[in-house]
């Protein structure tokens, strides 16, 4: 379906939402992707030393530490800078500061000197602090850096060096305190930014760490190859932290919501509505709730937005009612059948809402009361991964043993074979499902897609055309055919098919492909609108916005529509709208990977908003992005 295509498209082309540019990252809003600049030379660390600083033989005016990470040691100009400093040291006059009898500096006398003299003596005191730092005598080094600050409180190096001491002693709160003081004086102080980022990461303040790393990246002070993984690591940690907090609000099971109407229509489309609705047994004298169960099934297979929501509620109510009825009438077979039917459907709704444990419990309860093909099919689907594939196939065999002529069994098993790339068995099952119910379109669609997957492009297209002749009014054929055309890169032909599918969908009484054609077309147009690095195709971009906005209105539970629209909103600089849409899509997403991806985008967008709020940083962002656009990198 087009929904899945959009999600794969987003995942494949990881959006660099952080508006930073490190030497491996082009970062901007929606549909602007990480691009590796493999040939770009690494930038060396800038030498921020001030003119006229007194140097007394230390290797660095600013002290470093092993905790700063490899970034601090990666400059290609390091040896050259050392030579410069040594030459400067030879020509620099060293003053002896006035001291007390105990050897400590006479701060009272020093504070009475002219500002230029105080600054010169402050540097000497700092250098003595450096000497103690090198000897790992951090208490003494801290003392002399504080002396330096008393004489010259406006030198960021002194505060930065104090932070280096606290890195060595492990006092991370103090690291943040003194790097912050250094940055108040010099906002682009590279070592202070990096130290504060590292301290914040260790303390779990990942958003603060990302902010400082982003500023570092924009300043171009360090090799982007080193900054980029630090940014990504903090972003991933923050996203996981937020996701876990959200999941814990619901006993660790996640925020349970129905999937999109499009997904529900696709899932239940293989089942025969008349057969399912007629499966309610009305012969029990004890069953006072079969009307509730029958209503739930009718609502479900009406395949409407309201129908899905109401059915979910009715199945839950029916399950509660049958639990009560069974407590008094366990031996009544018709009652047991209906209770099993209610538990079966409530179980699969729990599964579709990503509540796996309750789903399996209800489905097993259904099987214990009255096993059916559906109960085994649904239980198998809760185990639909490679690790549980044997158990999966065992339950499908049990479904076949109950009814060897039930089409959905073969269809869903065929899908598992398809996922496992066992195309021979997948084809056999799809053909079996097709032969058992020639009026259901889904086996035809899967057989056509299977041919394409096997590289038989001509045969696949021919099969789609045959299926279109058999089902001329159904939107499934053009929708899935458009998926294949998109995968082939034939975008114009795909858009035509999506338009046909959308027109057919609009005249249906039931949901068939839902908003799939809207999302599919919007995905193509959004991609095409950004193909030219020099300018945005505003017409295609605006159409994509309209299509995704309409998709969100028609199917507000579609996470794919929302995450796609969020990225376009981000590109429009509507960051608040983007954050809200990303957060909504994280709630709606079915899998943990999808939830984490949407949460990651939301947290990254929040950092972008914070960066944009600073006028100086925002201006740097625009200059950097303009430079990358000029080079055709974004």
């Amino acid at each position: 379906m087009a929904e899945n295509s959009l999600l794969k498209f987003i995942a494949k082309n990881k959006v660099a939402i952080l508006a930073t540019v490190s030497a491996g990252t082009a970062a901007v809003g929606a549909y602007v992707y990480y691009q590796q600049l493999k040939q770009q030379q690494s930038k060396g660390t800038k030498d921020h030393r001030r003119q006229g600083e007194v140097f007394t033989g230390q290797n660095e005016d600013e002290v470093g530490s092993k905790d700063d990470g490899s970034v601090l040691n990666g400059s290609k100009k390091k040896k050259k800078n050392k030579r410069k400093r040594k030459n400067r040291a030879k020509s620099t006059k060293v003053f002896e500061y006035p001291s007390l009898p105990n050897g400590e500096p006479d701060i009272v006398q020093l504070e009475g000197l002219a500002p230029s003299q105080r600054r010169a003596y402050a540097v000497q005191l700092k250098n003595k602090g450096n000497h103690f730092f090198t000897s790992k005598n951090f208490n003494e080094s801290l003392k002399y850096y504080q002396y330096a600050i008393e004489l010259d409180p406006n030198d960021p190096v002194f505060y930065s060096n104090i932070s280096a001491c606290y890195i060595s002693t492990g006092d991370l709160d103090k690291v943040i305190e003194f790097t912050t003081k250094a940055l108040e004086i010099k906002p682009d102080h590279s070592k202070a930014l990096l130290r504060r980022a590292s301290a914040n990461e260790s303390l779990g303040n990942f958003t603060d760490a990302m902010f400082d790393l982003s500023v570092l990246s924009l300043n171009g002070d360090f090799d982007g190859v080193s900054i980029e993984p630090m940014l990504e690591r903090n972003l991933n940690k923050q996203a996981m932290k937020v996701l876990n907090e959200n999941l814990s609000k619901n006993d660790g099971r996640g925020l349970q919501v129905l999937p999109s109407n499009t997904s529900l229509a696709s899932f239940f489309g293989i089942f025969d509505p008349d057969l399912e609705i007629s499966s309610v047994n009305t012969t029990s004298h004890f069953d006072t709730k079969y009307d509730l169960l029958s209503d739930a099934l009718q609502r479900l297979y009406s395949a409407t937005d309201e129908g899905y929501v109401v059915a979910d509620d009715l199945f839950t109510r029916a399950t509660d009612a049958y639990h009560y009825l069974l407590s008094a009438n366990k031996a009544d077979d018709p009652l047991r059948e209906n209770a099993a039917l209610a538990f079966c459907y409530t179980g699969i709704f729990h599964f579709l809402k990503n509540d796996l444990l309750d789903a399996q419990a209800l489905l097993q309860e259904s099987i214990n009361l009255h096993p059916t093909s559906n109960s085994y099919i649904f239980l198998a689907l809760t185990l639909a991964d490679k690790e549980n594939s044997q158990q999966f196939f065992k339950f499908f065999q049990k479904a076949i043993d109950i009814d060897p002529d039930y089409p959905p069994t073969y269809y869903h098993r065929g899908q598992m074979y398809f996922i496992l790339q066992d195309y021979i068995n997948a084809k056999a099952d799809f053909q079996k499902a097709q032969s058992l119910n020639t009026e259901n379109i889904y086996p035809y669609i899967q057989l056509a897609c299977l041919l394409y997957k096997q590289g038989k492009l001509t045969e696949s297209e021919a099969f789609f055309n045959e299926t279109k002749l058999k089902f001329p009014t159904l939107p499934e054929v053009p929708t899935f055919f458009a998926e294949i055309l998109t995968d082939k890169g034939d975008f114009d032909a795909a858009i035509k098919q999506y338009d046909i599918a959308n027109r057919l969908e609009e005249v249906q009484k039931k949901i068939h492909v839902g908003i799939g054609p809207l999302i599919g077309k919007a995905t193509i147009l959004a991609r095409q609108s950004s193909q030219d690095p020099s300018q945005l195709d505003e017409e295609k971009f605006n159409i994509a916005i309209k299509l995704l906005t309409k998709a969100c209105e028609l199917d507000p539970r579609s996470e794919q529509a929302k995450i796609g629209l969020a990225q376009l909103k981000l590109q429009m600089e509507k960051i608040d709208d983007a954050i809200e849409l990303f957060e909504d899509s994280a709630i709606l997403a079915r899998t943990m990977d999808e939830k984490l991806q949407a949460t990651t985008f939301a947290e990254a967008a929040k950092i972008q908003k914070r960066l944009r709020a600073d006028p100086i940083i925002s201006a740097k962002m625009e200059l950097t992005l303009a430079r990358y656009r000029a080079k055709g990198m974004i």
Side-chain angles (χ1 to χ4, degrees):
M1 295 294 291
E3 284 190 323
N4 294 329
S5 175
L6 175 63
L7 199 58
K8 291 177 183 177
F9 175 65
I10 293 169
K12 182 178 179 182
N13 301 286
K14 185 175 181 181
V15 180
I17 299 173
L18 283 176
T20 64
V21 183
S22 54
T25 310
V28 66
Y31 292 103
V32 181
Y33 316 116
Y34 279 116
Q35 299 200 24
Q36 298 301 320
L37 312 178
K38 297 180 180 179
Q39 304 303 319
Q40 183 171 332
Q41 293 183 347
S42 300
K43 284 188 175 183
T45 306
K46 289 184 178 180
D47 184 2
H48 292 295
R49 294 181 181 83
R50 298 177 293 118
Q51 292 290 329
E53 280 191 322
V54 177
F55 186 68
T56 59
Q58 291 296 115
N59 287 335
E60 296 281 354
D61 287 344
E62 292 184 62
V63 295
S65 82
K66 62 183 179 181
D67 302 276
D68 287 339
S70 59
V71 179
L72 292 178
N73 302 314
S75 172
K76 293 182 177 181
K77 299 179 181 179
K78 186 174 181 181
K79 292 183 179 179
K80 183 178 179 180
N81 288 338
K82 281 186 177 181
R83 287 195 298 269
K84 287 183 177 180
R85 289 194 295 271
K86 287 182 179 179
N87 292 334
R88 186 170 58 188
K90 293 177 181 178
S91 60
T92 303
K93 182 178 179 180
V94 180
F95 298 94
E96 291 294 334
Y97 54 78
S99 60
L100 299 171
N102 63 0
E104 298 291 324
D106 188 344
I107 296 298
V108 174
Q109 181 179 344
L110 290 170
E111 286 179 339
L113 300 175
S116 60
Q117 291 178 301
R118 287 203 306 272
R119 285 193 296 269
Y121 283 125
V123 171
Q124 286 191 38
L125 293 168
K126 179 264 298 180
N127 288 338
K128 188 164 185 178
N130 288 355
H131 172 76
F132 284 118
F133 182 92
T134 303
S135 303
K136 298 185 179 180
N137 189 342
F138 302 120
N139 288 332
E140 287 298 309
S141 60
L142 280 170
K143 184 165 62 175
Y144 276 88
Y145 294 147
Q146 289 286 7
Y147 287 148
I149 289 173
E150 290 184 49
L151 294 181
D152 183 6
N154 297 315
D155 192 325
V157 172
F158 304 159
Y159 300 97
S160 178
N161 283 6
I162 287 178
S163 73
C165 291
Y166 285 121
I167 287 175
S168 300
T169 61
D171 192 339
L172 299 182
D173 289 323
K174 287 291 186 180
V175 173
I176 293 173
E177 177 186 343
F178 281 92
T179 51
T180 300
K181 289 180 179 179
L183 291 166
E184 288 171 355
I185 299 168
K186 191 175 189 299
D188 62 349
H189 193 287
S190 57
K191 282 192 176 181
L193 284 165
L194 186 58
R195 286 175 183 149
R196 190 169 70 175
S198 298
N200 272 315
E201 179 179 2
S202 297
L203 291 170
N205 305 325
F206 306 121
T207 56
D208 291 334
M210 280 189 284
F211 181 85
D212 285 343
L213 291 169
S214 300
V215 175
L216 267 175
S217 181
L218 284 166
N219 291 342
D221 290 335
F222 294 116
D223 183 355
V225 175
S226 300
I227 294 294
E228 181 183 338
M230 295 176 70
L231 263 171
E232 186 169 358
R233 184 176 69 237
N234 278 275
L235 177 57
N236 291 339
K237 288 180 179 179
Q238 174 64 12
M240 184 58 73
K241 176 182 176 181
V242 171
L243 180 57
N244 286 334
E245 289 172 352
N246 290 337
L247 293 175
S248 67
K249 294 175 183 177
N250 198 36
D251 299 328
R253 292 182 296 178
L255 302 170
Q256 298 172 18
V257 293
L258 277 176
S260 69
N261 294 329
T262 302
S263 298
L264 289 168
S266 177
F267 181 85
F268 289 107
I270 188 62
F271 298 95
D272 184 335
D274 293 333
L275 180 64
E276 296 302 315
I277 293 170
S278 66
S279 62
V280 177
N281 193 323
T282 61
T283 64
S284 173
H285 296 293
F286 302 101
D287 190 347
T288 59
K289 296 298 180 181
Y290 69 83
D291 284 340
L292 183 66
L293 180 59
S294 180
D295 190 16
L297 288 166
Q298 289 177 24
R299 297 279 191 162
L300 171 60
Y301 288 102
S302 69
T304 63
D305 176 45
E306 181 185 12
Y308 290 133
V309 175
V310 173
D312 181 29
D313 177 62
L314 291 177
F315 281 126
T316 300
R317 289 166 54 191
T319 291
D320 292 340
Y322 279 110
H323 273 135
Y324 174 76
L325 291 173
L326 284 172
S327 65
N329 305 283
K330 290 184 179 179
D332 186 74
D333 287 340
L335 177 65
R336 289 168 65 87
E337 286 182 27
N338 286 346
L341 183 60
F343 300 164
C344 180
Y345 269 95
T346 304
I348 199 59
F349 265 82
H350 275 284
F351 169 70
L352 293 171
K353 291 185 287 186
N354 209 31
D355 181 4
L356 191 61
L357 294 179
D358 283 348
Q360 291 175 339
L362 283 164
L363 290 168
Q364 189 60 60
E365 191 174 4
S366 173
I367 290 169
N368 293 341
L369 285 171
H370 180 72
T372 63
S373 292
N374 274 357
S375 58
Y376 279 117
I377 291 172
F378 292 159
L379 186 57
L381 294 177
T382 67
L383 302 170
D385 57 64
K386 294 181 180 180
E387 294 176 355
N388 290 304
S389 60
Q390 294 306 312
Q391 191 81 339
F392 177 93
F393 288 116
K394 183 185 80 171
F395 286 131
F396 268 102
Q397 187 56 52
K398 287 181 179 291
I400 292 171
D401 292 340
I402 291 174
D403 186 352
D405 295 325
Y406 190 55
T409 307
Y410 300 98
Y411 177 80
H412 281 293
R413 190 175 70 173
Q415 286 190 313
M416 185 60 177
Y417 280 128
F418 193 106
I419 292 170
L420 295 173
Q421 298 183 4
D422 184 348
Y423 298 138
I424 294 176
N425 280 318
K427 180 179 179 180
D429 273 350
F430 290 144
Q431 287 178 332
K432 181 71 171 178
Q434 179 190 45
S435 67
L436 291 171
N437 185 359
T438 59
E439 297 307 310
N440 190 289
I441 194 173
Y442 280 96
Y444 294 86
I445 295 292
Q446 292 294 352
L447 285 167
C449 292
L450 182 60
L451 288 169
Y452 176 75
K453 197 71 174 179
Q454 292 176 304
K456 301 175 182 179
L457 308 185
T458 303
E459 294 178 48
S460 174
E461 186 170 348
F463 202 97
F464 268 117
N465 288 331
E466 292 175 16
T467 305
K468 185 177 181 180
L469 292 175
K470 183 173 179 60
F471 303 97
T473 63
L474 296 184
E476 284 88 345
V477 175
T479 297
F480 281 93
F481 186 40
E483 284 280 297
I484 286 177
L485 292 170
T486 301
D487 190 67
K488 288 171 58 180
D490 192 350
F491 298 135
D492 291 339
I495 286 176
K496 290 180 181 179
Q497 292 298 314
Y498 281 133
D499 285 338
I500 293 171
N502 189 52
R503 288 195 295 270
L504 291 173
E505 179 71 12
E506 287 177 341
V507 299
Q508 302 295 323
K509 293 181 179 179
K510 296 182 176 182
I511 296 172
H512 285 254
V513 294
I515 60 174
L518 300 178
I519 293 178
K521 181 177 179 180
T523 302
I524 293 173
L525 292 174
R527 179 186 298 181
Q528 291 178 330
S529 71
S530 300
Q531 282 182 339
D532 185 352
S534 63
Q535 68 180 66
L536 180 74
D537 189 327
E538 292 188 7
E539 182 179 0
K540 290 182 178 179
F541 183 85
N542 289 333
I543 294 174
I545 284 280
K546 290 179 181 178
L547 290 171
L548 289 173
T549 300
K550 183 179 179 180
C552 289
E553 293 170 352
L554 292 174
D555 197 346
R557 296 192 307 276
S558 172
E559 71 272 21
Q560 288 90 347
K562 289 196 173 186
I563 202 170
L565 182 59
Q567 293 186 74
L568 298 187
K569 291 286 187 180
L570 198 63
Q571 192 167 351
M572 296 169 66
E573 299 285 335
K574 294 185 177 181
I575 300 178
D576 287 332
D577 290 347
I579 291 171
E580 182 178 354
L581 286 163
F582 281 135
E583 290 179 334
D584 285 349
S585 62
I587 294 171
L588 295 169
R590 190 184 183 288
T591 69
M592 286 298 294
D593 284 345
E594 291 168 359
K595 287 180 180 293
L596 181 59
Q597 176 178 256
T599 304
T600 300
F601 289 162
E603 294 307 306
K606 291 175 185 177
I607 294 300
Q608 186 180 9
K609 179 182 178 181
R610 184 173 167 185
L611 292 166
R612 288 287 187 185
D614 187 306
I616 296 176
I617 296 174
S618 183
K620 285 185 179 180
M621 288 164 59
E622 291 302 324
L623 288 173
T624 307
L625 294 173
R627 185 166 63 251
Y628 272 80
R629 291 189 187 101
K631 294 180 180 179
M633 296 176 184
I634 58 175

